[in-house]
Amino acid sequence: MSTKAIVVEKIPVVTPAPVLPTRRRVAKWYFGGLASAGAACCTHPLDLIKVHLQTQQTGKLSLVGMTVKIVKHQGVLALYNGLSASLLRQLSYSTIRFGIYEVSKQAAAPGGEAIPFIMRIGMAAGAGACGGFFGTPADLINVRMQNDIKLPLEERRNYKNAIDGLVKVYQTEGLKRLFGGATMATSRAVLMTVGQLSFYDQIKIMLLTTPYFNDNLVTHFTSSLLAGAIATTMTQPLDVLKTRAMNAKPGEFKSLMHLIAYTAKLGPLGFFKGYVPAFVRLGPQTILTFVFFEQLRLSFGIDK
């Protein structure tokens, strides 16, 4: 009688890997300023052309026509006039508004809880007001340096750089002039920050609730493009008035109403002068700012 050995195979027991808690990464307060400065380096020529279109009282040069005129008479490098002022503006204005907004969000929702949209708007408005006011001096120098090549040689200010411009305005026109146009700059900054930051967050949240989007470059691009369009539409009238006020000679406009009446002579569309180049500039500016911002957050942010 034969006996067959029964071989029992041992089935390896696979121990499931422990489930780690999901961590979120938040931005540091200064990431917004760095991201905005990086975007400004790419979009500065469009900003310069926008200023030129907004400050022409006569003539109907288009975006392309103004670009050709500048390059033909001043050279390609003229498109980067005032770059130092543009960078100074972003490192002051945008650092403040992004910093306050991000810190406020993290304080309101330390655990990543949902923040009501109306609260986001309030935080963005407060952040924009602070950034707009304290960024006014750099904004003033930025507008003047960009517009300088339009003036006759004897009327040009010829600032060497942004710091030189700040010093000369303080010495010749006084501290008060450095904050000329602060009311409109602050109002515009409030609308800009609401249009960009709060709407970007809201649009991004809405996209992420669908099965078609993840927290990646496509979502960041789509959200920032829509936010840029909203911000441009909200801020264009104030942007035109702010640019004219900052570029004006001392005493040229007696009051805000005088400036509004002067601009109104061009008709309702006068308040949207330069809208196309404003969107062409602000669209890429907003997209690049948030793409750079999100990359800084994901790569160097703080884990919560």
Side-chain angles (χ1 to χ4, degrees), residues 222-288:
T222 306
S223 302
S224 56
L225 176 62
L226 295 175
I230 293 170
T232 304
T233 304
M234 292 175 64
T235 60
Q236 189 62 13
L238 283 174
D239 195 29
V240 171
L241 294 175
K242 180 210 69 169
T243 300
R244 286 180 175 271
M246 289 183 169
N247 194 56
K249 299 175 183 178
E252 183 175 353
F253 298 113
K254 299 178 182 178
S255 64
L256 176 59
M257 291 307 299
H258 182 199
L259 175 58
I260 293 174
Y262 180 79
T263 305
K265 292 179 181 179
L266 300 172
L269 293 181
F271 293 95
F272 288 88
K273 207 166 189 179
Y275 181 87
V276 173
F279 177 71
V280 169
R281 180 199 70 85
L282 190 58
Q285 169 79 20
T286 304
I287 292 169
L288 290 173

Short mmCIF file of all heavy atoms in Angstrom, two decimals, residues 222-288:
data_model
loop_
_atom_site.label_atom_id
_atom_site.label_comp_id
_atom_site.label_asym_id
_atom_site.label_seq_id
_atom_site.Cartn_x
_atom_site.Cartn_y
_atom_site.Cartn_z
N THR A 222 -6.36 76.80 -16.63
CA THR A 222 -7.76 77.13 -16.90
C THR A 222 -8.30 78.12 -15.87
O THR A 222 -8.96 79.11 -16.22
CB THR A 222 -8.62 75.85 -16.89
OG1 THR A 222 -8.08 74.89 -17.80
CG2 THR A 222 -10.05 76.16 -17.27
N SER A 223 -8.02 77.88 -14.60
CA SER A 223 -8.51 78.76 -13.54
C SER A 223 -7.93 80.16 -13.67
O SER A 223 -8.65 81.16 -13.52
CB SER A 223 -8.15 78.17 -12.17
OG SER A 223 -8.68 76.88 -12.01
N SER A 224 -6.65 80.25 -13.96
CA SER A 224 -6.01 81.56 -14.04
C SER A 224 -6.44 82.32 -15.29
O SER A 224 -6.55 83.55 -15.27
CB SER A 224 -4.48 81.41 -14.01
OG SER A 224 -4.03 80.55 -15.04
N LEU A 225 -6.70 81.63 -16.38
CA LEU A 225 -7.18 82.29 -17.60
C LEU A 225 -8.54 82.94 -17.36
O LEU A 225 -8.76 84.11 -17.73
CB LEU A 225 -7.26 81.28 -18.75
CG LEU A 225 -7.83 81.81 -20.07
CD1 LEU A 225 -6.96 82.93 -20.62
CD2 LEU A 225 -7.96 80.68 -21.09
N LEU A 226 -9.45 82.21 -16.75
CA LEU A 226 -10.78 82.76 -16.46
C LEU A 226 -10.69 83.89 -15.44
O LEU A 226 -11.38 84.91 -15.56
CB LEU A 226 -11.69 81.64 -15.95
CG LEU A 226 -12.01 80.53 -16.96
CD1 LEU A 226 -12.81 79.42 -16.30
CD2 LEU A 226 -12.76 81.10 -18.16
N ALA A 227 -9.84 83.73 -14.43
CA ALA A 227 -9.68 84.78 -13.43
C ALA A 227 -9.10 86.04 -14.06
O ALA A 227 -9.48 87.16 -13.70
CB ALA A 227 -8.78 84.28 -12.30
N GLY A 228 -8.18 85.87 -15.01
CA GLY A 228 -7.60 87.03 -15.69
C GLY A 228 -8.63 87.80 -16.49
O GLY A 228 -8.63 89.04 -16.51
N ALA A 229 -9.54 87.09 -17.16
CA ALA A 229 -10.59 87.75 -17.93
C ALA A 229 -11.53 88.52 -17.01
O ALA A 229 -11.94 89.65 -17.30
CB ALA A 229 -11.37 86.71 -18.74
N ILE A 230 -11.88 87.92 -15.88
CA ILE A 230 -12.77 88.60 -14.92
C ILE A 230 -12.09 89.84 -14.35
O ILE A 230 -12.69 90.92 -14.26
CB ILE A 230 -13.16 87.63 -13.79
CG1 ILE A 230 -14.03 86.51 -14.34
CG2 ILE A 230 -13.88 88.36 -12.66
CD1 ILE A 230 -14.28 85.37 -13.36
N ALA A 231 -10.82 89.71 -13.97
CA ALA A 231 -10.10 90.83 -13.37
C ALA A 231 -9.93 91.99 -14.36
O ALA A 231 -10.05 93.15 -13.99
CB ALA A 231 -8.73 90.35 -12.88
N THR A 232 -9.66 91.68 -15.63
CA THR A 232 -9.50 92.74 -16.63
C THR A 232 -10.78 93.54 -16.80
O THR A 232 -10.77 94.78 -16.84
CB THR A 232 -9.10 92.14 -17.99
OG1 THR A 232 -7.91 91.37 -17.84
CG2 THR A 232 -8.85 93.23 -19.02
N THR A 233 -11.90 92.85 -16.89
CA THR A 233 -13.20 93.53 -17.08
C THR A 233 -13.55 94.39 -15.87
O THR A 233 -14.07 95.50 -16.02
CB THR A 233 -14.30 92.48 -17.30
OG1 THR A 233 -13.94 91.65 -18.42
CG2 THR A 233 -15.63 93.15 -17.60
N MET A 234 -13.24 93.92 -14.67
CA MET A 234 -13.58 94.66 -13.46
C MET A 234 -12.72 95.91 -13.28
O MET A 234 -13.19 96.92 -12.75
CB MET A 234 -13.43 93.75 -12.24
CG MET A 234 -14.44 92.62 -12.16
SD MET A 234 -14.11 91.49 -10.78
CE MET A 234 -14.33 92.56 -9.37
N THR A 235 -11.49 95.86 -13.72
CA THR A 235 -10.54 96.92 -13.37
C THR A 235 -10.23 97.91 -14.48
O THR A 235 -9.60 98.93 -14.22
CB THR A 235 -9.21 96.30 -12.93
OG1 THR A 235 -8.67 95.51 -14.01
CG2 THR A 235 -9.39 95.40 -11.71
N GLN A 236 -10.66 97.65 -15.71
CA GLN A 236 -10.21 98.48 -16.82
C GLN A 236 -10.55 99.96 -16.67
O GLN A 236 -9.68 100.81 -16.90
CB GLN A 236 -10.76 97.93 -18.14
CG GLN A 236 -10.18 98.60 -19.39
CD GLN A 236 -8.69 98.43 -19.51
OE1 GLN A 236 -8.08 97.61 -18.81
NE2 GLN A 236 -8.06 99.22 -20.36
N PRO A 237 -11.78 100.35 -16.31
CA PRO A 237 -12.05 101.80 -16.16
C PRO A 237 -11.14 102.47 -15.15
O PRO A 237 -10.60 103.55 -15.40
CB PRO A 237 -13.52 101.82 -15.72
CG PRO A 237 -14.10 100.56 -16.27
CD PRO A 237 -13.01 99.55 -16.14
N LEU A 238 -10.95 101.85 -14.00
CA LEU A 238 -10.08 102.43 -12.99
C LEU A 238 -8.62 102.42 -13.44
O LEU A 238 -7.84 103.31 -13.10
CB LEU A 238 -10.21 101.66 -11.67
CG LEU A 238 -11.46 101.97 -10.85
CD1 LEU A 238 -11.55 101.04 -9.65
CD2 LEU A 238 -11.46 103.41 -10.38
N ASP A 239 -8.24 101.42 -14.22
CA ASP A 239 -6.88 101.33 -14.72
C ASP A 239 -6.58 102.50 -15.65
O ASP A 239 -5.50 103.10 -15.61
CB ASP A 239 -6.67 100.00 -15.45
CG ASP A 239 -5.21 99.69 -15.67
OD1 ASP A 239 -4.38 100.13 -14.86
OD2 ASP A 239 -4.89 99.02 -16.66
N VAL A 240 -7.54 102.86 -16.50
CA VAL A 240 -7.37 103.99 -17.42
C VAL A 240 -7.22 105.28 -16.62
O VAL A 240 -6.31 106.10 -16.87
CB VAL A 240 -8.56 104.09 -18.39
CG1 VAL A 240 -8.49 105.39 -19.19
CG2 VAL A 240 -8.57 102.90 -19.34
N LEU A 241 -8.08 105.50 -15.64
CA LEU A 241 -8.02 106.72 -14.83
C LEU A 241 -6.72 106.77 -14.02
O LEU A 241 -6.10 107.84 -13.90
CB LEU A 241 -9.23 106.78 -13.90
CG LEU A 241 -10.59 106.94 -14.58
CD1 LEU A 241 -11.70 106.85 -13.54
CD2 LEU A 241 -10.68 108.24 -15.35
N LYS A 242 -6.32 105.65 -13.46
CA LYS A 242 -5.09 105.61 -12.67
C LYS A 242 -3.88 105.94 -13.52
O LYS A 242 -3.00 106.72 -13.13
CB LYS A 242 -4.93 104.22 -12.05
CG LYS A 242 -3.68 104.06 -11.20
CD LYS A 242 -3.17 102.64 -11.23
CE LYS A 242 -2.61 102.30 -12.59
NZ LYS A 242 -1.86 101.04 -12.62
N THR A 243 -3.81 105.39 -14.72
CA THR A 243 -2.69 105.63 -15.61
C THR A 243 -2.61 107.10 -16.00
O THR A 243 -1.53 107.70 -16.00
CB THR A 243 -2.81 104.75 -16.87
OG1 THR A 243 -2.81 103.37 -16.49
CG2 THR A 243 -1.64 105.00 -17.81
N ARG A 244 -3.75 107.70 -16.33
CA ARG A 244 -3.77 109.11 -16.70
C ARG A 244 -3.37 110.00 -15.52
O ARG A 244 -2.64 110.97 -15.69
CB ARG A 244 -5.16 109.49 -17.21
CG ARG A 244 -5.48 108.96 -18.60
CD ARG A 244 -6.87 109.38 -19.05
NE ARG A 244 -7.13 108.98 -20.42
CZ ARG A 244 -6.85 109.73 -21.48
NH1 ARG A 244 -6.30 110.91 -21.32
NH2 ARG A 244 -7.12 109.29 -22.70
N ALA A 245 -3.85 109.67 -14.33
CA ALA A 245 -3.53 110.48 -13.15
C ALA A 245 -2.04 110.42 -12.83
O ALA A 245 -1.42 111.44 -12.50
CB ALA A 245 -4.34 109.99 -11.95
N MET A 246 -1.45 109.26 -12.92
CA MET A 246 -0.04 109.11 -12.59
C MET A 246 0.87 109.74 -13.63
O MET A 246 1.97 110.19 -13.32
CB MET A 246 0.31 107.62 -12.42
CG MET A 246 -0.28 106.99 -11.18
SD MET A 246 0.22 105.27 -10.99
CE MET A 246 -0.35 104.95 -9.32
N ASN A 247 0.42 109.77 -14.86
CA ASN A 247 1.24 110.32 -15.94
C ASN A 247 1.03 111.83 -16.10
O ASN A 247 1.74 112.47 -16.87
CB ASN A 247 0.92 109.62 -17.26
CG ASN A 247 1.95 109.90 -18.33
OD1 ASN A 247 3.13 109.65 -18.12
ND2 ASN A 247 1.52 110.43 -19.45
N ALA A 248 0.06 112.40 -15.39
CA ALA A 248 -0.27 113.82 -15.55
C ALA A 248 0.81 114.71 -14.93
O ALA A 248 1.52 114.33 -14.00
CB ALA A 248 -1.62 114.11 -14.89
N LYS A 249 0.90 115.92 -15.47
CA LYS A 249 1.79 116.93 -14.90
C LYS A 249 1.14 117.47 -13.63
O LYS A 249 -0.08 117.44 -13.48
CB LYS A 249 2.00 118.06 -15.91
CG LYS A 249 2.66 117.60 -17.21
CD LYS A 249 2.73 118.74 -18.20
CE LYS A 249 3.32 118.27 -19.53
NZ LYS A 249 3.36 119.36 -20.54
N PRO A 250 1.94 117.98 -12.69
CA PRO A 250 1.36 118.54 -11.46
C PRO A 250 0.33 119.62 -11.75
O PRO A 250 0.59 120.56 -12.50
CB PRO A 250 2.59 119.11 -10.72
CG PRO A 250 3.74 118.31 -11.24
CD PRO A 250 3.41 118.00 -12.67
N GLY A 251 -0.87 119.46 -11.20
CA GLY A 251 -1.92 120.43 -11.39
C GLY A 251 -2.72 120.30 -12.67
O GLY A 251 -3.64 121.09 -12.92
N GLU A 252 -2.42 119.30 -13.49
CA GLU A 252 -3.13 119.14 -14.77
C GLU A 252 -4.60 118.82 -14.54
O GLU A 252 -5.47 119.31 -15.26
CB GLU A 252 -2.46 118.05 -15.61
CG GLU A 252 -3.09 117.88 -16.98
CD GLU A 252 -2.36 116.87 -17.85
OE1 GLU A 252 -1.27 116.39 -17.44
OE2 GLU A 252 -2.86 116.55 -18.94
N PHE A 253 -4.87 117.99 -13.55
CA PHE A 253 -6.26 117.66 -13.21
C PHE A 253 -6.54 118.16 -11.80
O PHE A 253 -5.83 117.84 -10.85
CB PHE A 253 -6.48 116.15 -13.30
CG PHE A 253 -6.28 115.58 -14.67
CD1 PHE A 253 -5.23 114.72 -14.93
CD2 PHE A 253 -7.13 115.92 -15.72
CE1 PHE A 253 -5.03 114.20 -16.21
CE2 PHE A 253 -6.94 115.41 -16.99
CZ PHE A 253 -5.89 114.56 -17.24
N LYS A 254 -7.61 118.95 -11.66
CA LYS A 254 -7.93 119.57 -10.38
C LYS A 254 -8.51 118.57 -9.39
O LYS A 254 -8.36 118.73 -8.17
CB LYS A 254 -8.91 120.72 -10.60
CG LYS A 254 -8.35 121.84 -11.49
CD LYS A 254 -9.38 122.92 -11.73
CE LYS A 254 -8.83 124.01 -12.65
NZ LYS A 254 -9.84 125.07 -12.93
N SER A 255 -9.21 117.58 -9.89
CA SER A 255 -9.85 116.61 -9.01
C SER A 255 -10.12 115.33 -9.79
O SER A 255 -9.89 115.26 -11.01
CB SER A 255 -11.17 117.16 -8.47
OG SER A 255 -12.09 117.37 -9.54
N LEU A 256 -10.62 114.34 -9.08
CA LEU A 256 -10.97 113.08 -9.74
C LEU A 256 -12.09 113.29 -10.75
O LEU A 256 -12.06 112.71 -11.84
CB LEU A 256 -11.39 112.06 -8.68
CG LEU A 256 -11.89 110.71 -9.19
CD1 LEU A 256 -10.83 110.02 -10.02
CD2 LEU A 256 -12.33 109.82 -8.02
N MET A 257 -13.06 114.14 -10.40
CA MET A 257 -14.16 114.41 -11.32
C MET A 257 -13.67 115.10 -12.59
O MET A 257 -14.19 114.85 -13.69
CB MET A 257 -15.22 115.26 -10.63
CG MET A 257 -15.98 114.54 -9.53
SD MET A 257 -16.71 112.97 -10.09
CE MET A 257 -17.81 113.54 -11.39
N HIS A 258 -12.67 115.97 -12.46
CA HIS A 258 -12.08 116.62 -13.63
C HIS A 258 -11.45 115.57 -14.54
O HIS A 258 -11.61 115.62 -15.77
CB HIS A 258 -11.03 117.64 -13.17
CG HIS A 258 -10.42 118.40 -14.31
ND1 HIS A 258 -9.22 119.08 -14.20
CD2 HIS A 258 -10.83 118.59 -15.60
CE1 HIS A 258 -8.93 119.65 -15.35
NE2 HIS A 258 -9.88 119.36 -16.22
N LEU A 259 -10.75 114.62 -13.95
CA LEU A 259 -10.12 113.56 -14.73
C LEU A 259 -11.17 112.69 -15.41
O LEU A 259 -11.03 112.32 -16.58
CB LEU A 259 -9.24 112.70 -13.82
CG LEU A 259 -8.59 111.46 -14.44
CD1 LEU A 259 -7.74 111.83 -15.64
CD2 LEU A 259 -7.76 110.72 -13.40
N ILE A 260 -12.23 112.36 -14.69
CA ILE A 260 -13.30 111.54 -15.27
C ILE A 260 -13.97 112.26 -16.43
O ILE A 260 -14.23 111.68 -17.49
CB ILE A 260 -14.34 111.17 -14.19
CG1 ILE A 260 -13.71 110.24 -13.14
CG2 ILE A 260 -15.57 110.51 -14.81
CD1 ILE A 260 -14.61 109.94 -11.96
N ALA A 261 -14.24 113.57 -16.23
CA ALA A 261 -14.87 114.35 -17.29
C ALA A 261 -13.97 114.46 -18.51
O ALA A 261 -14.44 114.38 -19.65
CB ALA A 261 -15.20 115.74 -16.76
N TYR A 262 -12.68 114.60 -18.29
CA TYR A 262 -11.73 114.69 -19.40
C TYR A 262 -11.70 113.39 -20.19
O TYR A 262 -11.72 113.38 -21.42
CB TYR A 262 -10.33 115.00 -18.84
CG TYR A 262 -9.25 115.13 -19.90
CD1 TYR A 262 -9.11 116.29 -20.65
CD2 TYR A 262 -8.36 114.09 -20.12
CE1 TYR A 262 -8.11 116.41 -21.60
CE2 TYR A 262 -7.35 114.20 -21.07
CZ TYR A 262 -7.24 115.36 -21.80
OH TYR A 262 -6.25 115.48 -22.75
N THR A 263 -11.70 112.27 -19.49
CA THR A 263 -11.68 110.96 -20.15
C THR A 263 -13.01 110.68 -20.84
O THR A 263 -13.06 110.06 -21.90
CB THR A 263 -11.39 109.86 -19.12
OG1 THR A 263 -10.18 110.16 -18.42
CG2 THR A 263 -11.24 108.50 -19.81
N ALA A 264 -14.11 111.19 -20.25
CA ALA A 264 -15.44 110.95 -20.82
C ALA A 264 -15.64 111.63 -22.16
O ALA A 264 -16.57 111.29 -22.90
CB ALA A 264 -16.52 111.42 -19.83
N LYS A 265 -14.79 112.61 -22.49
CA LYS A 265 -14.89 113.27 -23.79
C LYS A 265 -14.69 112.28 -24.94
O LYS A 265 -15.13 112.52 -26.06
CB LYS A 265 -13.86 114.40 -23.90
CG LYS A 265 -14.12 115.57 -22.96
CD LYS A 265 -13.04 116.63 -23.10
CE LYS A 265 -13.28 117.80 -22.16
NZ LYS A 265 -12.21 118.83 -22.26
N LEU A 266 -14.03 111.17 -24.63
CA LEU A 266 -13.80 110.15 -25.65
C LEU A 266 -14.99 109.21 -25.79
O LEU A 266 -14.97 108.31 -26.63
CB LEU A 266 -12.55 109.33 -25.28
CG LEU A 266 -11.24 110.11 -25.18
CD1 LEU A 266 -10.14 109.22 -24.62
CD2 LEU A 266 -10.84 110.68 -26.52
N GLY A 267 -16.01 109.41 -24.95
CA GLY A 267 -17.16 108.52 -24.99
C GLY A 267 -17.02 107.40 -23.97
O GLY A 267 -15.97 107.25 -23.33
N PRO A 268 -18.06 106.57 -23.79
CA PRO A 268 -18.01 105.47 -22.81
C PRO A 268 -16.84 104.53 -23.03
O PRO A 268 -16.24 104.02 -22.07
CB PRO A 268 -19.35 104.76 -23.01
CG PRO A 268 -20.25 105.80 -23.59
CD PRO A 268 -19.38 106.67 -24.44
N LEU A 269 -16.51 104.30 -24.29
CA LEU A 269 -15.40 103.38 -24.57
C LEU A 269 -14.05 103.95 -24.18
O LEU A 269 -13.06 103.23 -24.14
CB LEU A 269 -15.41 103.00 -26.06
CG LEU A 269 -16.60 102.16 -26.54
CD1 LEU A 269 -16.46 101.85 -28.02
CD2 LEU A 269 -16.71 100.87 -25.73
N GLY A 270 -14.02 105.27 -23.89
CA GLY A 270 -12.77 105.87 -23.44
C GLY A 270 -12.28 105.28 -22.13
O GLY A 270 -11.08 105.25 -21.87
N PHE A 271 -13.23 104.80 -21.32
CA PHE A 271 -12.86 104.20 -20.04
C PHE A 271 -12.35 102.76 -20.22
O PHE A 271 -11.86 102.16 -19.26
CB PHE A 271 -14.05 104.21 -19.08
CG PHE A 271 -14.45 105.59 -18.64
CD1 PHE A 271 -15.45 106.28 -19.30
CD2 PHE A 271 -13.78 106.21 -17.60
CE1 PHE A 271 -15.81 107.56 -18.91
CE2 PHE A 271 -14.14 107.48 -17.20
CZ PHE A 271 -15.15 108.17 -17.86
N PHE A 272 -12.52 102.22 -21.41
CA PHE A 272 -12.01 100.87 -21.71
C PHE A 272 -10.92 100.93 -22.78
O PHE A 272 -10.65 99.94 -23.45
CB PHE A 272 -13.16 99.97 -22.17
CG PHE A 272 -14.09 99.59 -21.05
CD1 PHE A 272 -15.18 100.39 -20.74
CD2 PHE A 272 -13.87 98.45 -20.30
CE1 PHE A 272 -16.04 100.07 -19.70
CE2 PHE A 272 -14.72 98.11 -19.25
CZ PHE A 272 -15.81 98.91 -18.96
N LYS A 273 -10.30 102.10 -22.90
CA LYS A 273 -9.23 102.26 -23.86
C LYS A 273 -8.07 101.33 -23.50
O LYS A 273 -7.67 101.24 -22.34
CB LYS A 273 -8.74 103.71 -23.87
CG LYS A 273 -8.14 104.14 -25.20
CD LYS A 273 -8.00 105.65 -25.24
CE LYS A 273 -7.60 106.10 -26.64
NZ LYS A 273 -7.47 107.57 -26.72
N GLY A 274 -7.57 100.63 -24.48
CA GLY A 274 -6.49 99.69 -24.22
C GLY A 274 -6.96 98.39 -23.62
O GLY A 274 -6.16 97.64 -23.06
N TYR A 275 -8.28 98.06 -23.77
CA TYR A 275 -8.80 96.84 -23.15
C TYR A 275 -8.13 95.58 -23.73
O TYR A 275 -7.75 94.68 -22.99
CB TYR A 275 -10.31 96.74 -23.34
CG TYR A 275 -10.91 95.51 -22.69
CD1 TYR A 275 -11.29 95.52 -21.36
CD2 TYR A 275 -11.06 94.32 -23.41
CE1 TYR A 275 -11.82 94.39 -20.76
CE2 TYR A 275 -11.58 93.19 -22.82
CZ TYR A 275 -11.96 93.23 -21.49
OH TYR A 275 -12.46 92.11 -20.90
N VAL A 276 -8.01 95.56 -25.05
CA VAL A 276 -7.42 94.37 -25.69
C VAL A 276 -5.99 94.14 -25.21
O VAL A 276 -5.66 93.04 -24.74
CB VAL A 276 -7.50 94.46 -27.22
CG1 VAL A 276 -6.74 93.31 -27.86
CG2 VAL A 276 -8.96 94.44 -27.67
N PRO A 277 -5.10 95.17 -25.30
CA PRO A 277 -3.75 94.91 -24.78
C PRO A 277 -3.73 94.69 -23.27
O PRO A 277 -2.85 93.99 -22.77
CB PRO A 277 -2.97 96.19 -25.15
CG PRO A 277 -4.00 97.22 -25.42
CD PRO A 277 -5.18 96.47 -25.96
N ALA A 278 -4.71 95.28 -22.55
CA ALA A 278 -4.77 95.03 -21.11
C ALA A 278 -5.05 93.56 -20.84
O ALA A 278 -4.42 92.95 -19.97
CB ALA A 278 -5.86 95.90 -20.47
N PHE A 279 -5.99 92.97 -21.60
CA PHE A 279 -6.27 91.55 -21.41
C PHE A 279 -5.14 90.69 -21.96
O PHE A 279 -4.78 89.67 -21.36
CB PHE A 279 -7.58 91.16 -22.10
CG PHE A 279 -7.87 89.69 -22.00
CD1 PHE A 279 -8.23 89.13 -20.79
CD2 PHE A 279 -7.74 88.86 -23.11
CE1 PHE A 279 -8.48 87.77 -20.68
CE2 PHE A 279 -7.98 87.50 -23.00
CZ PHE A 279 -8.34 86.95 -21.79
N VAL A 280 -4.57 91.12 -23.09
CA VAL A 280 -3.45 90.36 -23.66
C VAL A 280 -2.28 90.33 -22.69
O VAL A 280 -1.54 89.36 -22.61
CB VAL A 280 -3.02 90.98 -25.01
CG1 VAL A 280 -1.71 90.39 -25.49
CG2 VAL A 280 -4.11 90.76 -26.06
N ARG A 281 -2.13 91.43 -21.91
CA ARG A 281 -1.07 91.45 -20.90
C ARG A 281 -1.50 90.74 -19.63
O ARG A 281 -0.80 89.91 -19.08
CB ARG A 281 -0.69 92.89 -20.55
CG ARG A 281 0.44 92.97 -19.50
CD ARG A 281 0.48 94.32 -18.84
NE ARG A 281 -0.66 94.56 -17.98
CZ ARG A 281 -0.74 94.17 -16.71
NH1 ARG A 281 0.25 93.49 -16.15
NH2 ARG A 281 -1.81 94.43 -15.99
N LEU A 282 -2.71 91.08 -19.13
CA LEU A 282 -3.14 90.56 -17.85
C LEU A 282 -3.45 89.07 -17.91
O LEU A 282 -3.25 88.35 -16.92
CB LEU A 282 -4.37 91.32 -17.35
CG LEU A 282 -4.79 91.05 -15.90
CD1 LEU A 282 -3.63 91.38 -14.95
CD2 LEU A 282 -6.01 91.86 -15.54
N GLY A 283 -3.93 88.58 -19.06
CA GLY A 283 -4.18 87.16 -19.21
C GLY A 283 -2.91 86.34 -18.99
O GLY A 283 -2.84 85.53 -18.05
N PRO A 284 -1.87 86.57 -19.81
CA PRO A 284 -0.60 85.85 -19.58
C PRO A 284 0.01 86.15 -18.22
O PRO A 284 0.60 85.28 -17.59
CB PRO A 284 0.30 86.36 -20.71
CG PRO A 284 -0.64 86.78 -21.78
CD PRO A 284 -1.84 87.33 -21.07
N GLN A 285 -0.11 87.41 -17.77
CA GLN A 285 0.44 87.77 -16.45
C GLN A 285 -0.22 86.95 -15.35
O GLN A 285 0.46 86.40 -14.47
CB GLN A 285 0.20 89.27 -16.20
CG GLN A 285 0.47 89.74 -14.77
CD GLN A 285 1.94 89.92 -14.47
OE1 GLN A 285 2.74 90.07 -15.39
NE2 GLN A 285 2.31 89.91 -13.21
N THR A 286 -1.55 86.83 -15.42
CA THR A 286 -2.27 86.06 -14.40
C THR A 286 -1.93 84.58 -14.50
O THR A 286 -1.70 83.91 -13.48
CB THR A 286 -3.79 86.27 -14.56
OG1 THR A 286 -4.09 87.66 -14.49
CG2 THR A 286 -4.55 85.54 -13.46
N ILE A 287 -1.90 84.06 -15.73
CA ILE A 287 -1.59 82.65 -15.93
C ILE A 287 -0.19 82.32 -15.40
O ILE A 287 0.01 81.39 -14.62
CB ILE A 287 -1.70 82.27 -17.42
CG1 ILE A 287 -3.16 82.34 -17.87
CG2 ILE A 287 -1.13 80.87 -17.66
CD1 ILE A 287 -3.33 82.23 -19.37
N LEU A 288 0.80 83.12 -15.82
CA LEU A 288 2.18 82.85 -15.41
C LEU A 288 2.35 83.03 -13.90
O LEU A 288 3.05 82.25 -13.25
CB LEU A 288 3.14 83.79 -16.15
CG LEU A 288 3.30 83.52 -17.65
CD1 LEU A 288 4.13 84.62 -18.31
CD2 LEU A 288 3.96 82.16 -17.88
#
